[in-house]
Amino acid sequence: MALTDMPIEELRRYRPEVPEPPDLDDFWAGTLQAAREAATGPATYERVTDPAPATVEVFDVRFPGWAGQPVAAWLVLPRGVPRPLPAVVTYIGYGGGRGLSTEHLFWSAMGYAQLVVDTRGQGHDTPDPDPVPFPQLAYGFMTRGIEHRDHYFYRRAMTDCVRAVDAVREHPDIDPDRVIVSGVSQGGGLALATAGLARETVAAALIDVPFLCHYRRSAEIASDGPYPELVRYLGRHRRVDPTSVFEVLNHFDGLHFAARATAPALFSVGLMDPVCPPSTVFAAHNRWAGERADITVWEFGDHAGGWGSQPVEQVRWLAGRGLPGAR
C-alpha cells in the first residue's frame, strides 16, 4: 500500500465535472414508485429468542423491496430506554449479508435502534431473482445487467435500501424523524444513494470509505476490490463501447446522489485506500448539498479507514447534530 492518489490539499478541492443524465430524477422517481406499488403488505417482524440477549430485543424482518420482493433484515432494539427511538439503518459491504444478529450490538449499546439490511444476491437470506437479460461473462455484481440501466444490479439494490427506510419509519418503536443511514464501502455507497433518493426522510448519513462513486476514475486507478471487475469486463468485451457502460453507471453514481442530499453527513476516508480511492470519496463529499458534510481523514488508513475508532466518532458527531441515542 502507498499514497498513490492526490495530496490532501488537492483532495479537499477536488470537484470533478461529471454531467448528470438528463432524466435521472424521472428514472429514479419511476423506479421507487413502481417498487412501492408492487408491495403486497407491510414489513413483518418475528421475535428472535435463540439466542436472546439480555440487553436487546431482536426481530427477524422481511420488508418489500424491489418489485415487492422480500428483503431480509435484523431489527435490534435496546431494552429499558424510552421509545420511540432514533434508528440507524445499516447497509453491508460488497459480497456480504446481514450475518448474525449478535454481530450488530454496537448501536443498541449507544441507545439507538438498528435495522441491518441484507443485500440481495449477496446475503444468505435475500436472493436476487431478476435474471440478467443478456448473456454475458459475470465478473461480479459490478457487471450484472450492465448492458442497460433498467437491468443493472444496483437499480434493484438501491431500491431495496430506500424501501428499508420506508419500512423502519412505520415501526411503532421508531421515531420517523430520526432515521440515520449508514454503511462502509458498498454500504457507504448505498447509504449515500439512499440519502439522496430518500432525502425527505433521512435525518443524517454516516458514509464510510464509500464505494459506487465517480466510476470512471475509480475504474482507472483502483488497484483492488470490485472496480477492477469493470476493467476486466471492458478488457475482454472489446466490442462493447466503454462510453455506453459508463452512461449506464452514471445513473448510479454517488456524486449525483450527494448533490441531492439535504441531511447532514459524516464521511470517512483512508488516504491509502486501494479499493475506493480517496479522490472518489472526496468527489462525493465535496458535492454534498446537505445541511453539512464533515469528513474524518485517516492519513494512514487503508480500506478499513479508522477501523473501530470511526463508530466512536460517529456517536459523538450525531450527538453534536442533535441526534443522541436514548438513555
Side-chain angles (χ1 to χ4, degrees), residues 60-62 70-74 96-101 118-128:
D60 188 0
V61 183
R62 296 296 184 278
V71 179
W74 298 118
R98 64 176 180 161
L100 302 176
S101 61
D118 215 29
T119 307
R120 65 170 49 238
Q122 299 179 21
H124 180 269
D125 300 313
T126 308
D128 183 23

Side-chain angles (χ1 to χ4, degrees), residues 123-164:
H124 180 269
D125 300 313
T126 308
D128 183 23
D130 289 76
V132 174
F134 307 107
Q136 69 172 42
L137 296 175
Y139 300 101
F141 294 95
M142 281 297 291
T143 59
R144 183 170 294 187
I146 202 168
E147 293 87 353
H148 197 282
R149 65 180 189 178
D150 288 351
H151 307 295
Y152 189 47
F153 169 78
Y154 281 103
R155 185 186 187 205
R156 303 191 291 278
M158 290 176 178
T159 298
D160 291 344
C161 293
V162 173
R163 295 290 288 138

Side-chain angles (χ1 to χ4, degrees), residues 8-134:
I8 186 63
E9 297 80 9
E10 293 183 30
L11 291 171
R12 294 192 185 278
R13 297 190 301 267
Y14 185 56
R15 192 180 173 89
E17 291 296 327
V18 181
E20 295 182 358
D23 60 349
L24 184 65
D25 289 323
D26 289 341
F27 170 74
W28 276 108
T31 296
L32 297 175
Q33 179 180 349
R36 290 173 175 131
E37 291 175 350
T40 57
T44 62
Y45 299 85
E46 181 179 349
R47 188 181 295 271
V48 176
T49 57
D50 183 21
T55 59
V56 295
E57 298 174 80
V58 179
F59 297 86
D60 188 0
V61 183
R62 296 296 184 278
F63 66 87
W66 162 267
Q69 295 163 0
V71 179
W74 298 118
L75 178 63
V76 184
L77 303 174
R79 294 182 186 270
V81 296
R83 299 180 183 182
L85 294 160
V88 175
V89 181
T90 300
Y91 308 114
I92 305 301
Y94 194 79
R98 64 176 180 161
L100 302 176
S101 61
T102 49
E103 299 175 284
H104 306 287
L105 299 177
F106 174 82
W107 285 107
S108 62
M110 296 296 108
Y112 296 84
Q114 185 179 20
L115 186 76
V116 184
V117 182
D118 215 29
T119 307
R120 65 170 49 238
Q122 299 179 21
H124 180 269
D125 300 313
T126 308
D128 183 23
D130 289 76
V132 174
F134 307 107

Side-chain angles (χ1 to χ4, degrees), residues 277-321:
S279 57
T280 68
V281 176
F282 272 95
H285 170 268
N286 294 345
R287 286 175 67 118
W288 191 263
E291 171 189 327
R292 176 172 179 168
D294 298 311
I295 188 164
T296 307
V297 177
W298 300 100
E299 185 178 359
F300 290 93
D302 56 12
H303 192 52
W307 295 84
S309 298
Q310 186 63 22
V312 177
E313 296 292 323
Q314 292 170 339
V315 169
R316 293 170 178 158
W317 183 87
L318 287 171
R321 306 279 80 74

Side-chain angles (χ1 to χ4, degrees), residues 78-276:
R79 294 182 186 270
V81 296
R83 299 180 183 182
L85 294 160
V88 175
V89 181
T90 300
Y91 308 114
I92 305 301
Y94 194 79
R98 64 176 180 161
L100 302 176
S101 61
T102 49
E103 299 175 284
H104 306 287
L105 299 177
F106 174 82
W107 285 107
S108 62
M110 296 296 108
Y112 296 84
Q114 185 179 20
L115 186 76
V116 184
V117 182
D118 215 29
T119 307
R120 65 170 49 238
Q122 299 179 21
H124 180 269
D125 300 313
T126 308
D128 183 23
D130 289 76
V132 174
F134 307 107
Q136 69 172 42
L137 296 175
Y139 300 101
F141 294 95
M142 281 297 291
T143 59
R144 183 170 294 187
I146 202 168
E147 293 87 353
H148 197 282
R149 65 180 189 178
D150 288 351
H151 307 295
Y152 189 47
F153 169 78
Y154 281 103
R155 185 186 187 205
R156 303 191 291 278
M158 290 176 178
T159 298
D160 291 344
C161 293
V162 173
R163 295 290 288 138
V165 171
D166 292 346
V168 79
R169 293 182 76 244
E170 295 175 352
H171 194 283
D173 289 329
I174 302 303
D175 182 346
D177 295 326
R178 292 188 290 163
V179 174
I180 301 146
V181 293
S182 73
V184 179
S185 191
Q186 175 183 259
L190 294 173
L192 197 167
T194 305
L197 293 171
R199 52 189 173 274
E200 298 88 355
T201 56
V202 170
L206 307 173
I207 301 170
D208 290 330
V209 294
F211 179 46
L212 308 173
C213 295
H214 203 356
Y215 287 93
R216 183 88 194 207
R217 179 168 176 82
S218 296
E220 290 171 350
I221 69 172
S223 61
D224 198 0
Y227 287 122
E229 293 173 16
L230 294 172
V231 177
R232 290 193 293 274
Y233 176 81
L234 291 170
R236 297 188 184 187
H237 293 254
R238 289 180 289 277
R239 293 184 180 179
V240 173
D241 181 2
T243 299
S244 68
V245 168
F246 288 105
E247 285 177 352
V248 169
L249 294 172
N250 203 20
H251 291 79
F252 309 92
D253 196 320
L255 273 63
H256 305 322
F257 299 128
R260 286 160 169 75
T262 57
L266 176 62
F267 284 72
S268 74
V269 62
L271 295 190
M272 294 190 176
D273 187 343
V275 176
C276 295

